[in-house]
Amino acid sequence: MGFRRQHTRADRSAVASFTRRLHDSDKPGWIAGLTALIQFAALGMAVASVDKVAEMMIIAQSGDMVKLQEAQASVMMNGMLGYVPLLLIIVFGVWPSSDGANRYGAEPDHI
């Protein structure tokens, strides 16, 4: 139970710090929530595709390469959804901050 609470706290901290970064660059914070939602959807799709992976293994043992490639394509598209949040975080993470105050408050102090 302790690991679960720590994991949830880490997720909330990551979303909060990404939201602060978005606000620093004068972007809305709902983008951070969107990335978390997409990540949870990708996780759900990965769990739901376990049966497809099992079928893919049976097809691979039969030697029918055409069916195997078709099965791999559907599983691969599900897996690619998990990279969308990472790309969003990278793009908005390197986006330059706005100078001075913006609609979310004053510029943070620099060290």
Side-chain angles (χ1 to χ4, degrees):
M1 189 78 158
F3 173 74
R4 189 177 201 175
R5 276 189 238 149
Q6 289 174 345
H7 185 66
T8 304
R9 248 183 248 140
D11 289 343
R12 283 185 286 187
S13 297
V15 171
S17 73
F18 185 46
T19 302
R20 282 193 307 267
R21 175 68 188 114
L22 287 167
H23 285 174
D24 186 40
S25 59
D26 204 24
K27 304 285 182 281
W30 60 263
I31 295 172
L34 179 68
T35 58
L37 183 67
I38 293 171
Q39 188 64 42
F40 287 131
L43 180 63
M45 290 176 71
V47 170
S49 68
V50 169
D51 290 339
K52 289 181 184 179
V53 173
E55 288 176 19
M56 211 168 50
M57 293 171 70
I58 293 169
I59 293 169
Q61 289 174 348
S62 73
D64 189 356
M65 291 299 139
V66 174
K67 282 186 181 179
L68 180 61
Q69 287 177 344
E70 291 171 1
Q72 283 177 336
S74 68
V75 172
M76 182 183 71
M77 291 308 289
N78 290 346
M80 291 176 78
L81 181 64
Y83 289 104
V84 172
L86 178 64
L87 291 173
L88 286 172
I89 291 170
I90 290 172
V91 167
F92 286 109
V94 299
W95 201 282
S97 298
S98 58
D99 291 332
N102 59 28
R103 63 183 166 169
Y104 298 105
E107 183 177 13
D109 295 333
H110 296 288
I111 297 176

